[in-house]
Amino acid sequence: MQLDDTAVLISIDVQQGFDLRPFGPRNNPDMEAHALALLAAWRTARRPVVVVRHDSVHPDSPLAPGTPGNALKRGFEPQPGEPLVTKHVNSAFIGTDLESRLRAAGVRQVVLFGISTDMCVSTTARMAANLGFDLVVVGDACYTWRQPTPDGALLDGETIHRAHLTTLNSEFGRVVRTAQVIEALSPLAHAAVGPGTA
């Protein structure tokens, strides 16, 4: 894959509340490890990061402001100079200054990861594409959990995760893996390994 020189990495709702209440069995237990590796490589390349946090308006939510669950997971806090965008609904573009920030910076491409694949990541991703941004979703740096279907059955998290990534990749942008993004961040190192040198 190729990264645009304006690309911004957006971390979505990687918050402690998802571990503090039983949301059901989740998929992708390696999500946090992938996401931390992605953040480290992105920051090492001195590219911009935006951190999004969900401040729930429901007082009994594990993500409500003032509760332990509202805090970002360790390692996912914004570093100096990185903006924190707080939202109250699924999309990070609704009721926030995210779009205006991106427009002001001349951003053409957004790279998203976070929690959960099918809700806040998917909603933000679809809106980003509809707003005209070149969309990249890092699929192995997202997760979701088992949920009941309308007819009372249970759908496992991996199936939901894969279904949403499939439709995002089919219609809205590209779904990639963490390793692909990290490789794209190091074009000079990659180019140095020419034919016969590997």
Side-chain angles (χ1 to χ4, degrees), residues 75-88:
F76 292 94
E77 307 90 347
Q79 293 192 353
E82 295 175 353
L84 174 66
V85 173
T86 59
K87 64 180 179 64
H88 306 293

Side-chain angles (χ1 to χ4, degrees), residues 78-144:
Q79 293 192 353
E82 295 175 353
L84 174 66
V85 173
T86 59
K87 64 180 179 64
H88 306 293
V89 294
N90 302 98
S91 173
F93 289 102
I94 298 296
T96 74
D97 65 352
L98 178 59
E99 182 183 2
S100 62
R101 282 179 178 273
L102 299 178
R103 301 289 187 204
V107 171
R108 295 185 296 269
Q109 185 180 70
V110 294
V111 181
L112 309 182
F113 74 91
I115 307 170
S116 65
T117 315
D118 56 318
M119 296 185 188
C120 294
V121 174
S122 183
T123 307
T124 301
R126 291 162 193 263
M127 280 202 67
N130 285 172
L131 288 168
F133 295 102
D134 179 29
L135 171 68
V136 178
V137 176
V138 188
D140 63 354
C142 305
Y143 76 74
T144 190

